[in-house]
Amino acid sequence: MRPLIRTACLRARVRAMATLPTTAAFSSTRAPSPCPSPSRARRLLFAARFLPSAPPPPAGARAFRTSAAAAEAAVEVGGVKIAREDVVKEDDPTNNVPDTIYSKIGLQLHRRDNHPLGILKNTIYDYFDKSFPGQFVKFDDLCPLVSTKQNFDDVLVPADHVSRSYNDTYYVDSQTVLRCHTSAHQAELLREGHRHFLVIGDVYRRDSIDSTHYPVFHQVTVFPRLYLNVFKTRYVMNSIDLSRIQMEGFRVFSPDDWSGSGMDGTAYAATDLKKTLEGLATHLFGAVEMRWVDTYFPFTNPSFELEIYFQGDWLEVLGCGVTEQEILKSNGRTDHVAWAFGLGLERLAMVLFDIPDIRLFWSNDQRFTSQFSKGKLGVKFKPFSKFPPCYKDMSFWINDEFTENNLCEVVRGIAGDLVEEVKLIDNFTNKKGMTSHCYRIAYRSMERSLTDEEINDMQVRATELHYTMIFKCCLDLIGF
Ligand code: PHE
């Protein structure tokens, strides 16, 4: 079924998507980006020629070989121990996971009952428990290390899809990634025989850094893009590179379910899906106006997005659809139909709790954490950071190897969560065809004033590192 295109904005998105395979910026056939750090310049150039091949065993079944010291420092997720060396592999040219990302693994904010993300998760659980007593099984600590097969192939992501590129996904090695969506677990759970399930967990994407501070918050043209949809928003820069928490819902029907309904299986599942999710939106937001927008995901057809009219604007709440038959057939459910949905918890929590900055979810500051308690959805956050951002500019000539994600990773590697936004403010091409970019970097702490000295120091180190990488890429390219 061809999606109906209802809004100008969606039309623009669909058009952009249609150009994905041919445009340099979004084509996954383009060489994956090089050089997230100087030590990686060479291996990432190698990675540019690398293509993922045969799948490894499922991540859950894998035993990581770690030294005793590393094992001690390891984090545990769902019974799997993950040490730094399992994820950050300096000597593996196919690895692009930085320490800043490793440090997020295992934190599982959604499993803290007093945290806004935990409170929201539990509220969604309550809805499914009340609407479908005893039916939905919940998985909230599945290991985020999955095979490329699980993350992509099992859910029919095309071989040349941009989300598979090194620029977009964190590869642990050629066949293992940090999952970029919770849909990575659909197939294994189906094979295990589950028919109703909710999967919630941290997901990871390489992305640009964006301001999500208060002034931007109400600009809906920007804010809805915070929703994590790796299959559609590749060309949108408004997102931030932290791990995020995503929830996936899945329901399987057998022919008995729809035989008396006068509908075919697909129509029956789509109707049930819409009714279920409208109920969920009402449970979370109250009696709000809603609309359905047709969209695209590789693993569902038809596919939809649900938007609600909230605080004066249309807000995208989730993506969903009727599962592709091929997925059901390959995983033991021939003759069945199913629906699936996926939603990003942060953006809903930001709206429901009035939280202005996505970085706050990671804060251990008592002034943040003490404001929320178990079972209390919608308590309004009282801002405590009055600290102003500090802006620094960085300009340089770019070459074919340059990508914004790599620049962001350099800056983040040095400034961590103190960097709020990396924004292109000038793009100039001279008569010889050389292009220079100027980026403005916003530094801000939610918890304290930053000194001039430390900001200057971070900026100098980021600039030096970035230049070193460009220089090293050039040497590598000419085979020096
Ligand atoms: N996996 C999708 C994403 O990350 C969300 C989704 C899940 C959409 C299930 C449809 C069905 O963007």
Side-chain angles (χ1 to χ4, degrees):
M1 174 177 153
R2 282 215 80 71
L4 292 171
I5 298 166
R6 290 199 196 133
T7 63
C9 159
L10 181 68
R11 210 172 295 130
R13 282 189 251 154
V14 170
R15 215 180 5 244
M17 218 167 58
T19 64
L20 287 186
T22 49
T23 58
F26 305 113
S27 165
S28 58
T29 49
R30 142 182 163 251
S33 58
C35 316
S37 75
S39 65
R40 292 186 191 164
R42 185 171 290 281
R43 62 194 176 90
L44 263 287
L45 279 170
F46 168 81
R49 286 180 288 271
F50 158 85
L51 275 177
S53 54
R62 207 168 316 149
F64 295 111
R65 258 183 291 124
T66 50
S67 70
E72 206 161 288
V75 291
E76 197 175 315
V77 183
V80 181
K81 275 202 176 282
I82 310 172
R84 177 182 178 276
E85 66 186 43
D86 297 322
V87 180
V88 183
K89 301 182 179 188
E90 304 284 348
D91 301 325
D92 182 344
T94 64
N95 179 286
N96 64 350
V97 185
D99 278 310
T100 45
I101 286 297
Y102 172 65
S103 69
K104 308 288 185 214
I105 296 176
L107 292 181
Q108 299 195 305
L109 302 177
H110 58 283
R111 299 186 83 203
R112 302 181 190 174
D113 287 340
N114 292 323
H115 190 281
L117 299 177
I119 298 167
L120 177 55
K121 177 195 85 169
N122 288 330
T123 311
I124 299 176
Y125 279 3
D126 288 347
Y127 170 75
F128 280 94
D129 287 344
K130 279 197 195 114
S131 312
F132 307 91
Q135 291 187 38
F136 276 83
V137 185
K138 292 117 180 166
F139 299 90
D140 73 352
D141 68 344
L142 297 176
C143 181
L145 287 168
V146 298
S147 63
T148 49
K149 178 175 179 295
Q150 289 171 293
N151 200 67
F152 301 121
D153 306 331
D154 282 354
V155 283
L156 313 179
V157 176
D160 63 350
H161 195 278
V162 65
S163 62
R164 291 184 184 246
S165 79
Y166 278 84
N167 197 49
D168 285 47
T169 291
Y170 288 106
Y171 278 83
V172 170
D173 57 43
S174 63
Q175 293 160 11
T176 313
V177 295
L178 285 169
R179 68 183 162 214
C180 69
H181 58 163
T182 41
S183 305
H185 300 286
Q186 271 182 20
E188 64 185 284
L189 292 174
L190 275 172
R191 281 197 300 276
E192 283 170 18
H194 297 287
R195 293 185 52 154
H196 300 76
F197 53 85
L198 298 172
V199 178
I200 179 159
D202 36 334
V203 295
Y204 299 81
R205 283 173 57 193
R206 294 191 76 221
D207 228 329
S208 302
I209 302 172
D210 173 65
S211 59
T212 49
H213 51 78
Y214 200 67
V216 178
F217 179 58
H218 285 114
Q219 295 174 17
V220 282
T221 49
V222 171
F223 185 63
R225 302 271 64 80
L226 285 169
Y227 172 53
L228 177 65
N229 178 349
V230 289
F231 300 101
K232 199 187 51 169
T233 58
R234 311 307 321 123
Y235 40 90
V236 177
M237 292 306 176
N238 302 309
S239 52
I240 188 166
D241 188 28
L242 292 171
S243 92
R244 287 189 254 184
I245 311 296
Q246 204 183 44
M247 183 184 281
E248 170 112 358
F250 204 93
R251 182 177 193 195
V252 179
F253 301 91
S254 51
D256 287 350
D257 294 319
W258 71 81
S259 59
S261 71
M263 288 184 254
D264 65 15
T266 303
Y268 184 84
T271 307
D272 185 81
L273 171 69
K274 288 185 174 179
K275 193 174 124 229
T276 304
L277 295 177
E278 284 169 10
L280 174 62
T282 307
H283 184 69
L284 297 176
F285 293 94
V288 284
E289 205 184 326
M290 301 178 203
R291 69 181 180 194
W292 289 97
V293 180
D294 293 310
T295 188
Y296 162 81
F297 295 104
F299 29 83
T300 50
N301 187 15
S303 306
F304 315 102
E305 280 166 357
L306 175 60
E307 298 185 349
I308 61 166
Y309 197 68
F310 194 70
Q311 296 175 347
D313 285 307
W314 285 103
L315 174 77
E316 189 182 307
V317 175
L318 51 81
C320 64
V322 179
T323 302
E324 284 284 2
Q325 273 300 309
E326 195 180 328
I327 298 177
L328 294 170
K329 268 193 214 135
S330 315
N331 297 290
R333 288 284 170 195
T334 311
D335 298 332
H336 289 63
V337 295
W339 57 238
F341 74 85
L343 57 82
L345 284 209
E346 283 85 349
R347 64 187 307 277
L348 298 188
M350 286 171 86
V351 175
L352 289 163
F353 293 91
D354 255 358
I355 294 173
D357 190 310
I358 199 167
R359 293 172 301 168
L360 278 163
F361 290 119
W362 300 90
S363 172
N364 287 323
D365 192 314
Q366 276 263 311
R367 290 172 298 173
F368 177 76
T369 53
S370 65
Q371 292 194 31
F372 307 100
S373 43
K374 188 176 172 180
K376 298 215 170 121
L377 184 76
V379 168
K380 297 300 174 218
F381 169 68
K382 291 183 203 67
F384 57 83
S385 179
K386 300 277 181 273
F387 304 109
C390 173
Y391 299 100
K392 296 277 170 191
D393 293 351
M394 183 194 281
S395 47
F396 45 85
W397 296 103
I398 62 159
N399 59 17
D400 289 347
E401 310 303 323
F402 173 78
T403 73
E404 187 167 283
N405 279 354
N406 285 336
L407 172 68
C408 287
E409 201 150 287
V410 168
V411 177
R412 193 180 310 110
I414 286 173
D417 289 351
L418 296 179
V419 55
E420 180 168 271
E421 182 176 46
V422 176
K423 188 176 172 188
L424 181 66
I425 55 165
D426 188 44
N427 183 349
F428 163 76
T429 303
N430 71 10
K431 284 185 192 143
K432 290 182 186 157
M434 289 169 68
T435 300
S436 84
H437 279 179
C438 181
Y439 279 88
R440 176 153 297 163
I441 302 172
Y443 297 92
R444 174 169 21 200
S445 164
M446 297 307 290
E447 290 154 14
R448 64 191 175 85
S449 283
L450 300 173
T451 64
D452 264 357
E453 214 180 352
E454 68 182 315
I455 293 169
N456 285 337
D457 178 59
M458 287 188 288
Q459 178 76 2
V460 167
R461 281 192 294 142
T463 310
E464 278 175 6
L465 189 51
H466 179 64
Y467 289 156
T468 311
M469 280 167 37
I470 290 180
F471 184 59
K472 196 154 189 319
C473 281
C474 292
L475 291 183
D476 279 354
L477 279 174
I478 58 174
F480 197 73

